[in-house]
Amino acid sequence: DAQGKTAEALAAYERALALNPEHASAWYNKGVALDAQGQTEEALAAYERALALNPEDAGIWNNRGYALLGLKRYDEAVASIDQALALEPEDSDWWDSRGESLLEAGRYQEAIAAYDEALKRSPDLTSSRQGKARALRVLGRDAEADALERDGSQGSAPPQP
Protein backbone atom coordinates (compact mmCIF):
# COMPACT_ATOMS: atom_id res chain seq x y z
CA ASP A 1 0.00 0.00 0.00
CA ALA A 2 1.03 3.61 -0.50
CA GLN A 3 1.35 4.36 3.21
CA GLY A 4 3.73 1.41 3.65
CA LYS A 5 5.88 2.54 0.72
CA THR A 6 6.01 6.07 2.16
CA ALA A 7 7.13 4.67 5.51
CA GLU A 8 9.82 2.62 3.75
CA ALA A 9 10.99 5.69 1.86
CA LEU A 10 11.07 7.72 5.05
CA ALA A 11 13.23 5.07 6.73
CA ALA A 12 15.60 5.12 3.73
CA TYR A 13 15.95 8.91 3.94
CA GLU A 14 16.62 8.64 7.67
CA ARG A 15 19.42 6.12 6.95
CA ALA A 16 20.85 8.38 4.23
CA LEU A 17 20.81 11.37 6.57
CA ALA A 18 22.48 9.35 9.32
CA LEU A 19 25.35 8.77 6.88
CA ASN A 20 25.36 12.32 5.50
CA PRO A 21 23.32 14.93 7.39
CA GLU A 22 24.34 17.55 4.81
CA HIS A 23 22.50 15.83 1.93
CA ALA A 24 19.95 18.43 0.77
CA SER A 25 18.06 16.03 -1.52
CA ALA A 26 17.57 13.55 1.30
CA TRP A 27 16.14 16.32 3.50
CA TYR A 28 13.86 17.40 0.65
CA ASN A 29 12.66 13.85 -0.02
CA LYS A 30 12.16 13.28 3.69
CA GLY A 31 9.93 16.37 3.64
CA VAL A 32 7.93 14.98 0.73
CA ALA A 33 7.46 11.66 2.55
CA LEU A 34 6.46 13.38 5.79
CA ASP A 35 4.01 15.57 3.90
CA ALA A 36 2.47 12.46 2.32
CA GLN A 37 1.92 11.07 5.81
CA GLY A 38 0.23 14.28 6.94
CA GLN A 39 3.14 15.29 9.16
CA THR A 40 3.18 18.84 7.88
CA GLU A 41 5.14 20.50 10.70
CA GLU A 42 7.87 17.86 10.40
CA ALA A 43 7.86 18.19 6.61
CA LEU A 44 8.30 21.95 6.94
CA ALA A 45 11.31 21.42 9.21
CA ALA A 46 12.84 19.02 6.66
CA TYR A 47 12.28 21.51 3.81
CA GLU A 48 13.88 24.25 5.88
CA ARG A 49 16.90 22.05 6.55
CA ALA A 50 17.13 21.30 2.80
CA LEU A 51 16.97 25.03 2.02
CA ALA A 52 19.73 25.78 4.51
CA LEU A 53 21.89 23.41 2.47
CA ASN A 54 20.60 24.36 -0.99
CA PRO A 55 18.85 27.76 -1.04
CA GLU A 56 18.90 27.92 -4.84
CA ASP A 57 16.48 25.00 -5.34
CA ALA A 58 13.13 26.43 -6.44
CA GLY A 59 11.37 23.10 -5.91
CA ILE A 60 12.23 23.09 -2.23
CA TRP A 61 10.92 26.66 -1.85
CA ASN A 62 7.70 25.62 -3.61
CA ASN A 63 7.18 22.54 -1.41
CA ARG A 64 7.93 24.61 1.68
CA GLY A 65 5.19 26.97 0.49
CA TYR A 66 2.72 24.11 0.22
CA ALA A 67 3.61 22.91 3.72
CA LEU A 68 2.98 26.42 5.03
CA LEU A 69 -0.27 26.52 3.09
CA GLY A 70 -1.31 23.28 4.77
CA LEU A 71 -0.65 24.95 8.11
CA LYS A 72 -2.78 27.93 7.01
CA ARG A 73 0.24 30.25 7.23
CA TYR A 74 -0.82 31.96 4.03
CA ASP A 75 1.49 34.98 3.89
CA GLU A 76 4.52 32.79 4.59
CA ALA A 77 3.35 30.33 1.93
CA VAL A 78 3.10 33.07 -0.69
CA ALA A 79 6.52 34.43 0.32
CA SER A 80 8.10 30.97 0.00
CA ILE A 81 6.57 30.39 -3.42
CA ASP A 82 7.73 33.86 -4.43
CA GLN A 83 11.27 32.67 -3.64
CA ALA A 84 10.76 29.82 -6.11
CA LEU A 85 9.59 32.37 -8.69
CA ALA A 86 12.58 34.60 -8.01
CA LEU A 87 14.80 31.66 -8.93
CA GLU A 88 12.74 30.40 -11.89
CA PRO A 89 10.36 33.17 -13.01
CA GLU A 90 9.23 31.36 -16.16
CA ASP A 91 8.09 28.17 -14.42
CA SER A 92 4.34 27.86 -14.88
CA ASP A 93 4.07 25.41 -11.97
CA TRP A 94 5.43 28.00 -9.53
CA TRP A 95 2.92 30.56 -10.86
CA ASP A 96 0.18 27.98 -10.40
CA SER A 97 1.36 27.38 -6.82
CA ARG A 98 1.30 31.12 -6.19
CA GLY A 99 -2.26 31.28 -7.51
CA GLU A 100 -3.34 28.42 -5.27
CA SER A 101 -1.78 29.95 -2.17
CA LEU A 102 -3.37 33.33 -2.89
CA LEU A 103 -6.73 31.68 -3.56
CA GLU A 104 -6.56 29.85 -0.22
CA ALA A 105 -5.60 33.14 1.46
CA GLY A 106 -8.72 34.81 0.04
CA ARG A 107 -6.67 37.15 -2.15
CA TYR A 108 -8.74 36.46 -5.26
CA GLN A 109 -7.62 39.26 -7.60
CA GLU A 110 -3.98 38.40 -6.95
CA ALA A 111 -4.75 34.71 -7.46
CA ILE A 112 -6.31 35.46 -10.84
CA ALA A 113 -3.21 37.43 -11.85
CA ALA A 114 -0.94 34.54 -10.81
CA TYR A 115 -3.06 32.01 -12.67
CA ASP A 116 -2.92 34.27 -15.74
CA GLU A 117 0.88 34.19 -15.55
CA ALA A 118 0.80 30.39 -15.34
CA LEU A 119 -1.60 30.13 -18.28
CA LYS A 120 0.50 32.55 -20.32
CA ARG A 121 3.37 30.06 -20.01
CA SER A 122 1.30 26.84 -20.16
CA PRO A 123 -2.12 27.50 -21.72
CA ASP A 124 -3.36 23.96 -21.02
CA LEU A 125 -2.47 23.90 -17.31
CA THR A 126 -5.73 22.49 -15.95
CA SER A 127 -5.06 23.36 -12.32
CA SER A 128 -4.58 27.02 -13.24
CA ARG A 129 -7.79 27.09 -15.29
CA GLN A 130 -9.70 25.50 -12.42
CA GLY A 131 -8.16 27.78 -9.80
CA LYS A 132 -8.82 30.90 -11.84
CA ALA A 133 -12.43 29.79 -12.39
CA ARG A 134 -12.87 29.27 -8.62
CA ALA A 135 -11.52 32.78 -7.92
CA LEU A 136 -13.76 34.28 -10.60
CA ARG A 137 -16.81 32.55 -9.11
CA VAL A 138 -16.05 33.85 -5.61
CA LEU A 139 -15.93 37.34 -7.11
CA GLY A 140 -19.32 36.80 -8.77
CA ARG A 141 -17.83 36.64 -12.25
CA ASP A 142 -19.62 33.44 -13.22
CA ALA A 143 -19.82 34.17 -16.95
CA GLU A 144 -16.02 34.53 -17.15
CA ALA A 145 -15.57 31.34 -15.12
CA ASP A 146 -18.02 29.49 -17.39
CA ALA A 147 -16.16 30.67 -20.49
CA LEU A 148 -12.81 29.65 -19.03
CA GLU A 149 -14.09 26.19 -18.13
CA ARG A 150 -15.76 25.79 -21.53
CA ASP A 151 -12.57 26.81 -23.37
CA GLY A 152 -10.48 24.56 -21.12
CA SER A 153 -12.63 21.52 -21.75
CA GLN A 154 -11.93 21.82 -25.48
CA GLY A 155 -8.14 21.93 -25.06
CA SER A 156 -5.95 24.05 -27.29
CA ALA A 157 -6.85 22.36 -30.57
CA PRO A 158 -8.11 24.80 -33.20
CA PRO A 159 -11.87 24.72 -33.81
CA GLN A 160 -13.05 22.41 -36.55
CA PRO A 161 -14.93 23.98 -39.52
Side-chain angles (χ1 to χ4, degrees), residues 10-138:
L10 193 52
Y13 301 131
E14 292 287 353
R15 287 191 301 275
L17 289 166
L19 295 171
N20 180 4
E22 305 301 306
H23 196 287
S25 292
W27 282 108
Y28 170 77
N29 289 319
K30 178 181 177 180
V32 171
L34 288 165
D35 238 347
Q37 290 189 328
Q39 298 177 48
T40 310
E41 289 279 359
E42 295 84 351
L44 178 60
Y47 294 139
E48 288 178 349
R49 183 67 192 267
L51 283 170
L53 297 166
N54 186 8
E56 302 299 309
D57 188 316
I60 301 171
W61 283 106
N62 189 66
N63 276 40
R64 178 181 180 268
Y66 271 102
L68 289 162
L69 189 61
L71 297 170
K72 300 191 182 335
R73 291 164 55 182
Y74 301 117
D75 291 340
E76 292 173 83
V78 173
S80 189
I81 293 166
D82 283 348
Q83 286 293 324
L85 280 165
L87 293 165
E88 297 176 2
E90 294 305 313
D91 192 305
S92 60
D93 289 330
W94 306 159
W95 283 106
D96 182 71
S97 297
R98 186 172 204 275
E100 186 174 343
S101 62
L102 290 163
L103 181 66
E104 292 297 319
R107 293 162 58 184
Y108 304 114
Q109 286 299 140
E110 292 173 85
I112 290 168
Y115 286 130
D116 282 342
E117 289 295 327
L119 291 166
K120 184 166 57 174
R121 290 160 177 80
S122 296
D124 293 330
L125 194 58
T126 303
S127 56
S128 287
R129 287 182 170 279
Q130 292 171 341
K132 182 179 178 182
R134 281 181 52 209
L136 288 167
R137 288 196 192 290
V138 170

